[in-house]
Amino acid sequence: MPDEEQISLFDWQEPQAVSTPVTVDPEQISSNAQTPIPTGFYETLDQLTTHCQQCQRCDLAPTRNHVVVSRGNPQASILIIGEGPGQQEDETGLPFVGRAGQLLDKILASVKLDSQKDVYICNIVKCRPPGNRTPTSEESAACKPYLLEQIRLVNPKIILLTGATAVRGITGDKRGITKIRGQWLTWDNYLCMPILHPAYLLRNPSPAPGKPKWLMWQDIQAVRAKLDEILSQ
Ligand code: URA
């Protein structure tokens, strides 16, 4: 099948919330972002979700409607990290459910990855930055212990970093995403692939060779091939 036809197979499926909150004593966690949350603090993602829902560690807390923790499968082989919730994510409490998320699901489906079964999706920050601005480094740092715990508890085979904010938030690399997309990197023993953010593809919809959508098609095929290789070992 020609590449353009495959790219156009991107379909949308309704996402579902991942976890049922359990009760955790809010006193157990500091509302001061300077106080670290140690590795291994959470035994389960449900505990983490409950804490996140009560979180006051940064200035995004007062303006949020929902804390957006994750969607997808906590046992998935692929963990996807975005930047932060937008309006629809803030309204629903689920990451990547707006237009960029619908495109992300289509991109995954184009290589037969199911967004509910094969991936676990989360963000650098769990609360919406007002006006969809980029999260500040303080906000990202305040939220990072939760993300690190999500990564530890999911323990994926591959991490996809969507866009420069996700790359910077995880690896500290400040280079532009167009420079580093498509190149495998190892962070904390995890195999990571930086990819373009789907919102960037929405602004640049041409499928022509070398354009963002075409580059994404190359990258997602590389991810599928690597996953198949890992799973066949
Ligand atoms: N963009 C992101 O990076 N994350 C979301 O959850 C939604 C849009």
Side-chain angles (χ1 to χ4, degrees):
M1 193 184 299
D3 283 356
E4 288 89 334
E5 252 180 270
Q6 284 181 291
I7 293 173
S8 70
L9 288 177
F10 298 170
D11 310 320
W12 158 244
Q13 289 174 336
E14 199 61 42
Q16 285 176 1
V18 200
S19 51
T20 317
V22 293
T23 307
V24 179
D25 180 0
E27 295 301 317
Q28 276 183 285
I29 194 153
S30 176
S31 61
N32 179 350
Q34 304 305 314
T35 308
I37 301 170
T39 304
F41 187 80
Y42 298 106
E43 282 175 20
T44 66
L45 288 165
D46 283 347
Q47 284 178 344
L48 177 143
T49 300
T50 301
H51 264 175
C52 289
Q53 283 164 348
Q54 298 158 349
C55 184
Q56 301 290 331
R57 284 167 66 86
C58 84
D59 58 8
L60 296 179
T63 52
R64 71 180 176 226
N65 287 304
H66 286 99
V67 178
V68 176
V69 178
S70 66
R71 70 175 169 97
N73 178 2
Q75 268 96 48
S77 299
I78 298 180
L79 183 145
I80 302 177
I81 304 177
E83 179 174 303
Q87 184 181 347
Q88 278 160 289
E89 290 77 20
D90 178 58
E91 282 166 5
T92 57
L94 292 166
F96 275 109
V97 290
R99 283 185 69 219
Q102 292 173 27
L103 179 56
L104 176 65
D105 285 7
K106 290 177 185 176
I107 291 163
L108 295 170
S110 75
V111 289
K112 301 200 171 10
L113 292 172
D114 184 305
S115 62
Q116 292 178 44
K117 190 165 64 68
D118 299 321
V119 299
Y120 176 89
I121 304 178
C122 51
N123 278 308
I124 291 291
V125 292
K126 293 181 172 30
C127 299
R128 183 188 183 199
N132 297 342
R133 63 164 170 73
T134 305
T136 63
S137 51
E138 288 77 18
E139 291 156 359
S140 301
C143 216
K144 192 164 178 179
Y146 297 129
L147 180 57
L148 295 180
E149 285 288 89
Q150 285 177 291
I151 296 170
R152 181 183 67 80
L153 288 163
V154 173
N155 192 24
K157 307 268 188 249
I158 291 174
I159 298 178
L160 299 187
L161 302 167
T162 68
T165 303
V167 175
R168 192 178 321 124
I170 287 293
T171 69
D173 190 330
K174 295 195 173 69
R175 281 178 297 168
I177 190 68
T178 52
K179 293 263 181 307
I180 51 176
R181 57 134 283 278
Q183 297 171 39
W184 290 106
L185 61 95
T186 305
W187 164 81
D188 202 23
N189 278 330
Y190 288 103
L191 192 56
C192 302
M193 169 68 91
I195 58 172
L196 298 173
H197 195 286
Y200 183 68
L201 271 59
L202 290 173
R203 296 193 295 272
N204 296 279
S206 165
K211 298 286 187 192
K213 206 168 176 184
W214 183 88
L215 294 172
M216 176 65 93
W217 174 234
Q218 312 310 307
D219 297 348
I220 201 68
Q221 287 180 99
V223 169
R224 175 79 241 189
K226 181 61 80 179
L227 180 67
D228 289 344
E229 183 191 320
I230 294 168
L231 295 179
S232 72
Q233 280 165 3

